[in-house]
Amino acid sequence: MDENIQKLNERASYYSEQILKLRTEIKNKIIGQDDIIDNMLIALISQGHILLEGVPGLAKTLMARTMAECLDCDFVRLQFTPDLLPADITGTKIYNHNEASFFTLKGPIFSNFILADEINRAPPKVQSALLEAMQERQVSIQGETFKLERPFLVMATQNPIESEGTYKLPEAQVDRFMFKLLIDYPTKDDEIEIIERFTQGIQPQISKILTSEQIIEIQDFNSQIYADRKIKDYVAQVVDATRHPQAYDVDAEGYIEYGASPRASLWLILAAKAHAMLGGRGYVIPEDIKAVAYNVLRHRILLNYEAEVEEVTSDQIIAQILNKVKVP
């Protein structure tokens, strides 16, 4: 096993150098938001999707576009509106009069990076069309099925301060996002740098760091990173504590409507493996689990009305769980 771990460490270290170069290149254009950038890279490596929550103007679109540029991948931004139709995203079949036959016109979903801007503004049918593509990695257009090419990453944004004209995402569909990231305002120093850069017309040039083939190679390696049985047991206990908090002495029984689904366990392990790879390790340690736990569990713990009244957040409950569950 030691020899295998050594080989995994060597490969993880090699890929880590490539990912850190990618991170540096992204940060040449994005000021601040280090934590968000790191978690975007973890989601990319793990082949997961991201739900980004934050007020307008925090460079959500710029971050997604910049990552796509650094990876030599296609990028498309979809502005979700109440009048959008599923065919506007997936595509449709059009009749060709000259040849007396139908041909398929593929929609913008057939790209590597999708920014679904203000996903909660689109009606449920459109949300379902996007989320089906995320889960199945394929699209059906009038009876014909098309596979989506890798890498495929969806970043959906929603505005937490505006509810007029929006459609709440169903909990079962929110569960398909690997991460829910909360993006905050920049620091004062970062804001000064943003002002200087964008009011003086400074436009940093972005280089292509990795090809799509290289990022697929890194994604395939991620599943090979070693996670011990004790780590898997720890993850199972953390997720179980969201369902049966009283069994772990977590003071949240009266606040949780539903605990996390089994998808939480899968994404905790995959995200922890990616976090380990960023650290140049070919094996997972408990700190990797803790580093990704909030982003994986935040949107999977459904709180009841009592929690809302008492202003108890899922992040507070996750903190309790990580504090109470015994670390291997």
Side-chain angles (χ1 to χ4, degrees):
M1 181 59 72
D2 289 343
E3 190 178 329
N4 288 337
I5 293 291
Q6 184 60 37
K7 287 179 181 176
L8 289 172
N9 281 341
E10 288 170 5
R11 286 189 68 189
S13 180
Y14 169 69
Y15 290 135
S16 174
E17 288 176 13
Q18 294 184 317
I19 297 161
L20 290 175
K21 284 180 187 173
L22 173 61
R23 182 183 185 273
T24 302
E25 194 66 23
I26 293 170
K27 283 188 63 59
N28 284 340
K29 197 163 188 176
I30 305 296
I31 299 163
Q33 306 295 0
D34 293 6
D35 191 48
I36 299 293
I37 292 169
D38 286 346
N39 282 297
M40 283 172 61
L41 292 171
I42 287 172
L44 175 67
I45 295 165
S46 308
Q47 300 186 64
H49 306 290
I50 303 167
L51 181 61
L52 261 178
E53 189 172 282
V55 298
L58 297 180
K60 297 185 287 289
T61 305
L62 185 62
M63 278 190 272
R65 181 180 286 118
T66 302
M67 182 184 281
E69 287 173 358
C70 292
L71 290 173
D72 194 19
C73 292
D74 298 331
F75 170 81
V76 66
R77 175 180 174 272
L78 301 175
Q79 180 63 57
F80 277 40
T81 55
D83 60 347
L84 206 64
L85 298 172
D88 296 330
I89 292 174
T90 59
T92 188
K93 291 199 172 184
I94 296 176
Y95 187 70
N96 186 330
H97 287 278
N98 295 332
E99 297 181 7
S101 62
F102 286 91
F103 72 94
T104 303
L105 183 67
K106 290 183 178 180
I109 195 73
F110 291 91
S111 299
N112 300 118
F113 284 81
I114 315 289
L115 181 75
D117 219 357
E118 295 189 277
I119 188 172
N120 52 337
R121 287 203 171 280
K125 272 189 176 181
V126 176
Q127 293 176 2
S128 297
L130 176 68
L131 292 159
E132 181 190 0
M134 287 164 49
Q135 180 67 23
E136 308 300 334
R137 308 284 170 139
Q138 64 183 32
V139 173
S140 295
I141 303 174
Q142 294 181 22
E144 194 175 356
T145 302
F146 300 89
K147 287 280 185 186
L148 294 169
E149 289 187 14
R150 293 172 60 196
F152 178 64
L153 174 71
V154 173
M155 283 179 58
T157 71
Q158 61 180 16
N159 184 344
I161 60 173
E162 197 172 354
S163 58
E164 190 176 337
T166 62
Y167 300 82
K168 189 174 183 291
L169 280 170
E171 280 77 6
Q173 295 185 344
V174 172
D175 193 40
R176 297 182 191 182
F177 288 98
M178 172 187 178
F179 278 168
K180 180 179 181 181
L181 304 180
L182 305 179
I183 186 165
D184 206 353
Y185 293 109
T187 64
K188 191 175 73 171
D189 290 340
D190 286 339
E191 189 135 6
I192 290 168
E193 195 176 338
I194 291 167
I195 292 167
E196 287 178 345
R197 180 179 292 183
F198 286 92
T199 58
Q200 293 173 16
I202 301 168
Q203 289 294 332
Q205 294 301 308
I206 293 295
S207 302
K208 299 195 186 304
I209 303 300
L210 297 173
T211 63
S212 56
E213 290 78 15
Q214 286 173 309
I215 203 67
I216 290 168
E217 186 182 318
I218 293 171
Q219 288 176 339
D220 290 340
F221 172 67
N222 189 56
S223 59
Q224 298 173 35
I225 287 177
Y226 179 70
D228 192 80
R229 176 62 188 257
K230 290 179 181 177
I231 293 290
K232 294 170 186 172
D233 186 55
Y234 176 57
V235 165
Q237 287 185 65
V238 167
V239 174
D240 189 55
T242 69
R243 304 164 190 161
H244 308 103
Q246 70 281 3
Y248 298 85
D249 197 25
V250 174
D251 183 24
E253 190 178 1
Y255 302 128
I256 299 175
E257 191 79 30
Y258 294 102
S261 75
R263 280 198 188 109
S265 304
L266 301 176
W267 285 127
L268 275 171
I269 291 289
L270 287 170
K273 288 183 175 188
H275 189 270
M277 195 197 302
L278 283 175
R281 278 181 285 105
Y283 58 93
V284 177
I285 59 176
E287 283 67 25
D288 295 318
I289 304 295
K290 289 183 175 182
V292 300
Y294 288 90
N295 297 328
V296 171
L297 296 173
R298 179 179 288 129
H299 53 301
R300 293 184 163 92
I301 298 174
L302 306 184
L303 302 179
N304 57 22
Y305 179 71
E306 191 175 338
E308 192 176 330
V309 169
E310 297 191 24
E311 297 183 341
V312 174
T313 66
S314 54
D315 280 26
Q316 290 170 348
I317 292 171
I318 295 164
Q320 271 200 71
I321 289 170
L322 294 178
N323 190 39
K324 295 285 187 180
V325 175
K326 189 179 177 183
V327 177

